[in-house]
Amino acid sequence: SLSLGNNYEIEVLGGELTINKLAIRVIPSPNQKKSYGDNDPDYAFTTNIVLPFSDELDGGLGRDSGEDVAQYAYNLGDLVDSNPNYEITLDTANKFTIEKLVITVSVNDSEKFYGQADPAYTFTFSPSTLGNGGAITLIGSPTRVAGENVGEYLITAGTLSAGSNYTATISVGAKLTIKKAPITITAGSHKVVYGVALPANTFIVSGNMGFSETITGVTYAYSTNPPRNVGNYDITPSAAVLSAGQASNYEFTYVKGQLEITKAALTIYLAGSNSDWGDKVAPAGASRSEGLVSGDRLGTFNYTFDGSATEPAMPGVYALDATIATFAAGTTDNYEITIVPATYTINSPFFV
């Protein structure tokens, strides 16, 4: 209580005590940053003086809007509204930094067959998403060393980019492998009659030739060379000839064809003949033939007389038929033989 002693009568008039806001300066901590795409951290700061009563400021700093790589000025956020006992100002020396996000891009190996268009080059990257869960989108595409022949070609980054908010490390060493194009060449099959000139060989190509290239010819080999007699012969193609390009760009598979030589028709007309009774029975052979080819010539016959291989002894007229025993040139196996019979006469004896 207020007292001046017994000599005074004190009258206390009413008054007010004013408590003014304490002026402080908020100083954002230096070197605060994040990578592009991450969520913002809580911004750290200090004050230029120690707050009374062990106070701690409520609320927090804010910053200028923006998410691209750059530096952003802080602002007082909600500190002013949350701390009415303080006159707060901001030290603007420090900035908040958004740094480029470092991503690692790995281009995948790829392959194609000779003559095909290049496939779309694929790649993976890490991290696969932003820190805030957003998508990472790369633009552009890889490219490769030029060339279309079979082999391996290095795939480079090309125009592949993540944009200005990223530092992209793109791995090297991926390759495009151009493989040989599979081509099947099948020799045509043919049938020809014995003695007729062999037909021209043909082939069929299966598979996709590259760059409008074509096969203009192949080499043929017969299982018996040259094929001549009746039978079946393999026709084996090989050594394809291209209109352009290199044979080494193809994996050729050769499929055999077959040549079939069939029997030729041969008709033999036996000659009618005779001998006197008691003389040797001697048929005259063929009067003519139709169908001999390739220089073949008839040889000997095995005769029958009225169906018997035994030569007749008595005078008379006998039905003469025969089979071919030998060819003078050629072989009976190459012919389908028809023999036209005749007659053989043993003349009766003539007595004087």
Side-chain angles (χ1 to χ4, degrees), residues 299-325:
T300 60
F301 294 89
N302 294 319
Y303 296 102
T304 62
F305 304 87
D306 288 345
S308 173
T310 302
E311 294 180 352
M314 299 304 293
V317 178
Y318 298 90
L320 179 66
D321 208 344
T323 59
I324 296 179

Short mmCIF file of all heavy atoms in Angstrom, two decimals, residues 299-325:
data_model
loop_
_atom_site.label_atom_id
_atom_site.label_comp_id
_atom_site.label_asym_id
_atom_site.label_seq_id
_atom_site.Cartn_x
_atom_site.Cartn_y
_atom_site.Cartn_z
N GLY A 299 17.60 -104.73 -128.21
CA GLY A 299 18.58 -105.81 -128.26
C GLY A 299 17.92 -107.14 -128.61
O GLY A 299 17.33 -107.29 -129.67
N THR A 300 17.95 -108.08 -127.70
CA THR A 300 17.44 -109.42 -127.95
C THR A 300 16.08 -109.62 -127.30
O THR A 300 15.69 -108.88 -126.38
CB THR A 300 18.42 -110.46 -127.40
OG1 THR A 300 18.58 -110.26 -125.99
CG2 THR A 300 19.77 -110.33 -128.09
N PHE A 301 15.36 -110.67 -127.79
CA PHE A 301 14.03 -110.98 -127.30
C PHE A 301 13.98 -112.42 -126.78
O PHE A 301 14.73 -113.29 -127.23
CB PHE A 301 12.99 -110.85 -128.42
CG PHE A 301 12.80 -109.44 -128.92
CD1 PHE A 301 13.59 -108.95 -129.95
CD2 PHE A 301 11.84 -108.62 -128.38
CE1 PHE A 301 13.43 -107.66 -130.43
CE2 PHE A 301 11.65 -107.33 -128.86
CZ PHE A 301 12.45 -106.84 -129.88
N ASN A 302 13.10 -112.63 -125.88
CA ASN A 302 12.71 -113.98 -125.47
C ASN A 302 11.35 -114.26 -126.10
O ASN A 302 10.36 -113.59 -125.78
CB ASN A 302 12.64 -114.10 -123.94
CG ASN A 302 13.99 -113.96 -123.29
OD1 ASN A 302 15.00 -114.49 -123.79
ND2 ASN A 302 14.04 -113.24 -122.16
N TYR A 303 11.30 -115.27 -127.00
CA TYR A 303 10.09 -115.51 -127.79
C TYR A 303 9.25 -116.62 -127.18
O TYR A 303 9.76 -117.53 -126.50
CB TYR A 303 10.46 -115.89 -129.23
CG TYR A 303 11.17 -114.79 -129.99
CD1 TYR A 303 12.56 -114.82 -130.16
CD2 TYR A 303 10.45 -113.74 -130.54
CE1 TYR A 303 13.21 -113.82 -130.86
CE2 TYR A 303 11.11 -112.74 -131.25
CZ TYR A 303 12.47 -112.78 -131.40
OH TYR A 303 13.11 -111.78 -132.09
N THR A 304 7.96 -116.51 -127.49
CA THR A 304 7.04 -117.62 -127.20
C THR A 304 6.27 -117.93 -128.49
O THR A 304 6.02 -117.04 -129.32
CB THR A 304 6.06 -117.26 -126.07
OG1 THR A 304 5.25 -116.15 -126.47
CG2 THR A 304 6.78 -116.96 -124.77
N PHE A 305 5.93 -119.21 -128.61
CA PHE A 305 5.21 -119.67 -129.79
C PHE A 305 3.93 -120.32 -129.30
O PHE A 305 4.00 -121.34 -128.57
CB PHE A 305 6.07 -120.68 -130.57
CG PHE A 305 7.41 -120.13 -130.96
CD1 PHE A 305 8.50 -120.22 -130.09
CD2 PHE A 305 7.61 -119.53 -132.20
CE1 PHE A 305 9.74 -119.72 -130.45
CE2 PHE A 305 8.86 -119.04 -132.56
CZ PHE A 305 9.92 -119.11 -131.68
N ASP A 306 2.84 -119.72 -129.68
CA ASP A 306 1.54 -120.15 -129.14
C ASP A 306 1.58 -120.22 -127.62
O ASP A 306 1.03 -121.11 -126.98
CB ASP A 306 1.12 -121.52 -129.72
CG ASP A 306 0.69 -121.46 -131.18
OD1 ASP A 306 0.45 -120.32 -131.67
OD2 ASP A 306 0.59 -122.51 -131.80
N GLY A 307 2.31 -119.24 -127.00
CA GLY A 307 2.39 -119.14 -125.55
C GLY A 307 3.43 -119.99 -124.91
O GLY A 307 3.60 -119.96 -123.68
N SER A 308 4.18 -120.77 -125.68
CA SER A 308 5.20 -121.65 -125.10
C SER A 308 6.59 -121.16 -125.48
O SER A 308 6.83 -120.72 -126.61
CB SER A 308 5.01 -123.09 -125.61
OG SER A 308 6.09 -123.90 -125.19
N ALA A 309 7.49 -121.23 -124.52
CA ALA A 309 8.87 -120.83 -124.79
C ALA A 309 9.63 -121.88 -125.58
O ALA A 309 10.76 -121.64 -126.02
CB ALA A 309 9.58 -120.54 -123.47
N THR A 310 9.02 -123.05 -125.76
CA THR A 310 9.68 -124.14 -126.52
C THR A 310 9.50 -123.89 -128.01
O THR A 310 8.39 -123.63 -128.48
CB THR A 310 9.08 -125.49 -126.14
OG1 THR A 310 9.23 -125.69 -124.73
CG2 THR A 310 9.76 -126.62 -126.90
N GLU A 311 10.62 -123.92 -128.72
CA GLU A 311 10.56 -123.68 -130.16
C GLU A 311 9.80 -124.83 -130.84
O GLU A 311 10.01 -126.01 -130.53
CB GLU A 311 11.96 -123.56 -130.75
CG GLU A 311 12.71 -122.34 -130.27
CD GLU A 311 14.10 -122.25 -130.88
OE1 GLU A 311 14.52 -123.23 -131.57
OE2 GLU A 311 14.78 -121.22 -130.67
N PRO A 312 8.90 -124.48 -131.78
CA PRO A 312 8.14 -125.54 -132.46
C PRO A 312 9.04 -126.32 -133.43
O PRO A 312 10.02 -125.78 -133.94
CB PRO A 312 7.05 -124.78 -133.20
CG PRO A 312 7.65 -123.43 -133.43
CD PRO A 312 8.54 -123.15 -132.25
N ALA A 313 8.64 -127.57 -133.65
CA ALA A 313 9.42 -128.41 -134.58
C ALA A 313 8.61 -128.80 -135.81
O ALA A 313 9.19 -129.10 -136.86
CB ALA A 313 9.89 -129.67 -133.86
N MET A 314 7.32 -128.80 -135.70
CA MET A 314 6.49 -129.27 -136.78
C MET A 314 6.03 -128.11 -137.64
O MET A 314 5.91 -126.99 -137.18
CB MET A 314 5.28 -130.02 -136.22
CG MET A 314 5.65 -131.25 -135.39
SD MET A 314 6.69 -132.42 -136.30
CE MET A 314 5.53 -132.97 -137.55
N PRO A 315 5.77 -128.38 -138.91
CA PRO A 315 5.27 -127.31 -139.78
C PRO A 315 3.94 -126.76 -139.25
O PRO A 315 3.16 -127.47 -138.60
CB PRO A 315 5.08 -128.01 -141.13
CG PRO A 315 6.01 -129.18 -141.08
CD PRO A 315 5.99 -129.63 -139.64
N GLY A 316 3.74 -125.46 -139.46
CA GLY A 316 2.50 -124.80 -139.06
C GLY A 316 2.72 -123.31 -138.84
O GLY A 316 3.83 -122.78 -138.96
N VAL A 317 1.60 -122.67 -138.52
CA VAL A 317 1.64 -121.22 -138.23
C VAL A 317 1.44 -121.04 -136.73
O VAL A 317 0.45 -121.53 -136.16
CB VAL A 317 0.54 -120.45 -139.02
CG1 VAL A 317 0.57 -118.99 -138.66
CG2 VAL A 317 0.72 -120.66 -140.52
N TYR A 318 2.32 -120.31 -136.12
CA TYR A 318 2.33 -120.15 -134.66
C TYR A 318 2.20 -118.65 -134.30
O TYR A 318 2.77 -117.80 -134.98
CB TYR A 318 3.64 -120.68 -134.07
CG TYR A 318 3.82 -122.16 -134.31
CD1 TYR A 318 4.47 -122.60 -135.48
CD2 TYR A 318 3.36 -123.09 -133.41
CE1 TYR A 318 4.63 -123.96 -135.71
CE2 TYR A 318 3.53 -124.47 -133.64
CZ TYR A 318 4.16 -124.89 -134.78
OH TYR A 318 4.32 -126.22 -135.02
N ALA A 319 1.43 -118.40 -133.23
CA ALA A 319 1.35 -117.03 -132.71
C ALA A 319 2.69 -116.67 -132.08
O ALA A 319 3.15 -117.36 -131.15
CB ALA A 319 0.24 -116.91 -131.69
N LEU A 320 3.31 -115.60 -132.56
CA LEU A 320 4.64 -115.21 -132.09
C LEU A 320 4.52 -114.02 -131.14
O LEU A 320 4.00 -112.96 -131.50
CB LEU A 320 5.53 -114.83 -133.28
CG LEU A 320 6.96 -114.37 -132.95
CD1 LEU A 320 7.75 -115.52 -132.33
CD2 LEU A 320 7.66 -113.82 -134.19
N ASP A 321 4.97 -114.19 -129.92
CA ASP A 321 5.02 -113.09 -128.94
C ASP A 321 6.40 -113.07 -128.32
O ASP A 321 7.21 -113.99 -128.57
CB ASP A 321 3.95 -113.27 -127.87
CG ASP A 321 3.49 -111.94 -127.29
OD1 ASP A 321 4.20 -110.92 -127.49
OD2 ASP A 321 2.44 -111.91 -126.61
N ALA A 322 6.70 -112.04 -127.54
CA ALA A 322 8.06 -111.95 -127.00
C ALA A 322 8.09 -111.00 -125.81
O ALA A 322 7.18 -110.21 -125.57
CB ALA A 322 9.01 -111.44 -128.09
N THR A 323 9.15 -111.12 -125.04
CA THR A 323 9.57 -110.11 -124.07
C THR A 323 10.97 -109.70 -124.41
O THR A 323 11.71 -110.47 -125.06
CB THR A 323 9.52 -110.66 -122.63
OG1 THR A 323 10.36 -111.79 -122.54
CG2 THR A 323 8.09 -111.01 -122.23
N ILE A 324 11.36 -108.50 -123.99
CA ILE A 324 12.71 -108.03 -124.29
C ILE A 324 13.69 -108.63 -123.30
O ILE A 324 13.51 -108.53 -122.08
CB ILE A 324 12.79 -106.49 -124.26
CG1 ILE A 324 11.92 -105.90 -125.36
CG2 ILE A 324 14.23 -106.02 -124.41
CD1 ILE A 324 11.92 -104.39 -125.40
N ALA A 325 14.69 -109.28 -123.83
CA ALA A 325 15.73 -109.84 -122.98
C ALA A 325 16.78 -108.79 -122.63
O ALA A 325 17.19 -108.63 -121.48
CB ALA A 325 16.39 -111.04 -123.65
#
